[in-house]
Every structure is written in C-alpha cells, then in structure tokens.
Amino acid sequence: MAPRVIAVVSKLDHPSLATLPVREDVKFLVANDMDTFLAFPEVDRIEAIVWVVPGDVATLEALWEKHQVKWIHSFSAGVDPIQGFLKNRLLTTDTIVTNGRSAFSSSLAEYTMAAALHFNKQVPRLQANKQAHKWENFVMPQLNGKTMGFLGFGDIAKATAKMAKEAFGMRVLALRRNTTKIQAEAHLVDHTFSIDNEKLELFKQADFVVCILPGTTQTQNFVSTAEFAAMKPDAIFISIGRGAAVDEAALEAALKAGTIAGAALDVFKKEPLAEDHPLWTCPNLLLSSHNADFTADYFPLGWSVMQANLEAFSTVGSTDMPYLTVVDKTAGY
C-alpha cells in the first residue's frame, strides 16, 4: 500500500526538520513555495498539510485551494498568523485544524512558577545584598496561601494550576470565555470568573496574574491601564501567551510608577524586542526572549502531538479516533 502523502510548509533550514518523523506509512513533502511542491511527483496525492511557523502562509493557502485537504496541523500552539485563512476560507468547510498545544505546557508551567518564586523569594534583593556584602535577615515570604489568577484556562494554565495547588498550596482563580466547564475543573480552580462581566475582579484578588491568552482580535491589549490599576500594589504580572494581549506601554507605566510589584514577560508584541525598547530599562521586570518553552526536546515534543493527530486522521471512516488538539476556527485558538 502506498504511503500517505503529507505536505510540510516550512522554511527548509527550520531546526524542527532535523527531527521530522520517519514513517513507512507517510511520505512528507517539505517546501516553502508552490513551485517546489508542484515539482514533486506525489503532489497530486497530498492528503494533509503541516504548517511550521514561519512557513509561507500564501503557500499553505494555495495548497489547500488545490487539494481541499481535510486536515491541517499547525506545529506551534499559536495560530494567529493564519487566522485570516481560518476564518475567510476554512470556517464553513469540514477541514479539521489542529495545533501543537499541550506539547509545551509543562515547561511553561515551570517557567511561571520560577517567575513567581523569583519575586516571592525576593531574588533581586538577595543578589543585591550579595553584591553589597550586606547581611539582611528579612522575613522570607511564601507562595503557600497566595492566589494565582489565570487569564485563559487551556492546557498551559491547567498544568500550571496543578503545580501551583499541589506543590505550593496556592489558591487558583480563572477568567474564561466558557464558564460551563467549571464542574470539570473544580479540582484545579477555586473560582471561575466570566470574561464578559467579571474581568477586573480577578485582577483585584490575585497575587499573581498569569496571562496565557491567544493572539486574536478579541484579546488585543486585553491587559491595559484599567487592569494594572486594579491589581494589588504587591501583585506580580506574568505573560507567557501572546504579546498582543498586553498593552506594553501601560505595563511600563505601572512598573515605573510602582503601582504593581513586578512582572515577568516571555512574549512581546514585536519580536525580537528592539534594543532601544523601553521595557529593557523597566524596574522589577524579569524578561526572557520567548524561549520559556524552548527546551532540549521542544521539536520532538511538537512532532509527537502532530503524530497523535495523524493517528486520528488515519482512522477517519473506521474507528474515528478523536483528534487531540482541535482548533476552534471561529475563536481562532
């Protein structure tokens, strides 16, 4: 039996391709432009498409137009670069779109807790005291009993909430669009707020606000002046979702005014962050270069999620195994 043919839209020097799975039942055609794809003898047998950011979106769209495939997989969890394609072309079709979420949840949970501990244990103060040869026997705070509030409650938030509750004894709040899942998440969440009319209440109650929102038109500058103003003066803001969700000028103002105690950012509106960006000089800011989840096994983990969805695609019409990480084409995540 001839192997299935799957197109991989990716830059040819992308490091993920070094761990592209080798399978007898699948032949991957890798390219980043239509001319190259059309030159493959197997081009007319393409059944599915894998898109590896920053692969060419126009090529992705052209491949779909040519083959009308029933499954598209995004290697990354974020699908914001292809939202226009999802809503303008795929929304009314039966093409299933999946993404790479869940592959990187544990590493981002670790980063979030590390950021929380960085500020809670006053690591900058400890480092300054060491530099100054200063012995300061101050009272050391604890995470136990503190409240962590999540903006968005998907796979990353669930992994982090589990760690926060079970390892550190923290209280967990969640702000979400769909509050119908409260019962199923009762073991992880102490209280769920509706995104429609209870947004600021989470900011008021949380000692740590963790933003894991996707990049959509609805989440642009979701956290801005009013939200930072609602936070406790000793609260910490942590952003690991999409930089578009945070008003960086408002955050800069809050940090410089000291109206919040600190922030940790792994994602930004424009990446890489410009050398002259004012965030570099903000006080009480822990900053990483969108590499909180860039672990040694980052690419194999990403391909493992793709292969789990591939197994579901392969069973269509027989056992109909469910896809692992289906994207809501209307919501854009």
Side-chain angles (χ1 to χ4, degrees), residues 6-318:
I6 295 179
V8 179
V9 180
S10 170
K11 288 188 172 182
L12 298 185
D13 60 352
H14 197 281
S16 67
L17 298 179
T19 54
L20 180 69
V22 177
R23 299 173 56 124
E24 293 184 357
D25 60 335
V26 175
K27 182 176 180 61
F28 293 104
L29 307 181
V30 183
N32 203 36
D33 62 89
M34 277 304 292
D35 287 343
T36 304
F37 275 115
L38 291 172
F40 287 118
E42 305 91 347
V43 64
D44 290 329
R45 292 175 44 219
I46 290 174
E47 298 181 55
I49 305 170
V50 176
W51 175 69
V52 181
V53 67
D56 186 64
V57 176
T59 300
L60 168 63
E61 294 180 4
L63 276 175
W64 183 84
E65 292 288 352
K66 178 176 172 59
H67 298 283
Q68 303 280 301
V69 301
K70 300 302 182 185
W71 174 48
I72 295 174
H73 179 78
S74 166
F75 187 89
S76 64
V79 295
D80 27 316
I82 61 170
Q83 279 199 18
F85 173 51
L86 296 183
K87 294 185 177 182
N88 298 333
R89 300 299 294 120
L90 299 186
L91 191 58
T92 58
T93 73
D94 59 356
T95 296
I96 299 293
V97 180
T98 58
N99 65 0
R101 72 178 183 271
S102 80
F104 320 115
S105 298
S106 64
S107 56
L108 289 169
E110 286 186 14
Y111 178 88
T112 300
M113 299 314 302
L117 286 165
H118 172 84
F119 290 104
N120 179 259
K121 298 302 181 186
Q122 302 188 47
V123 172
R125 184 176 180 178
L126 296 174
Q127 292 174 320
N129 285 347
K130 180 177 181 292
Q131 188 70 25
H133 298 201
K134 178 182 178 182
W135 182 271
E136 184 187 13
N137 189 229
F138 63 85
V139 175
M140 185 65 74
Q142 288 182 278
L143 289 182
N144 184 271
K146 296 290 187 183
T147 298
M148 182 169 280
F150 293 92
L151 310 181
F153 206 71
D155 289 292
I156 298 167
K158 290 182 178 69
T160 311
K162 186 174 188 292
M163 195 176 294
K165 286 185 76 71
E166 294 182 2
F168 295 97
M170 299 183 76
R171 180 171 176 254
V172 170
L173 308 177
L175 181 74
R176 58 181 308 159
R177 180 172 57 93
N178 183 358
T179 58
T180 61
K181 300 179 181 178
I182 295 174
Q183 195 63 37
E185 297 164 352
H187 65 296
L188 292 176
V189 183
D190 294 286
H191 188 80
T192 300
F193 295 101
S194 168
I195 205 168
D196 296 323
N197 52 22
E198 299 178 301
K199 179 181 178 181
L200 289 183
E201 196 56 40
L202 180 141
F203 286 86
K204 292 176 182 177
Q205 293 189 26
D207 298 298
F208 299 88
V209 175
V210 184
C211 183
I212 320 181
L213 294 171
T216 69
T217 54
Q218 289 76 33
T219 62
Q220 297 292 314
N221 289 332
F222 187 88
V223 186
S224 190
T225 303
E227 289 70 37
F228 290 122
M231 290 175 67
K232 302 175 183 180
D234 59 351
I236 304 298
F237 177 74
I238 302 170
S239 179
I240 57 170
R242 281 293 179 264
V246 180
D247 181 341
E248 292 174 351
L251 174 60
E252 177 195 352
L255 288 170
K256 289 183 175 177
T259 55
I260 64 173
L265 304 179
D266 184 57
V267 291
F268 305 87
K269 284 188 180 297
K270 186 176 180 180
E271 298 178 0
L273 195 66
E275 289 184 13
D276 60 350
H277 197 289
L279 284 175
W280 288 111
T281 57
C282 270
N284 303 316
L285 176 61
L286 181 65
L287 189 154
S288 53
S289 305
H290 201 157
N291 63 329
D293 59 352
F294 189 36
T295 57
D297 57 356
Y298 178 88
F299 296 119
L301 285 173
W303 287 121
S304 71
V305 174
M306 184 281 293
Q307 293 198 86
N309 285 306
L310 172 57
E311 295 307 316
F313 175 68
S314 300
T315 66
V316 172
S318 54

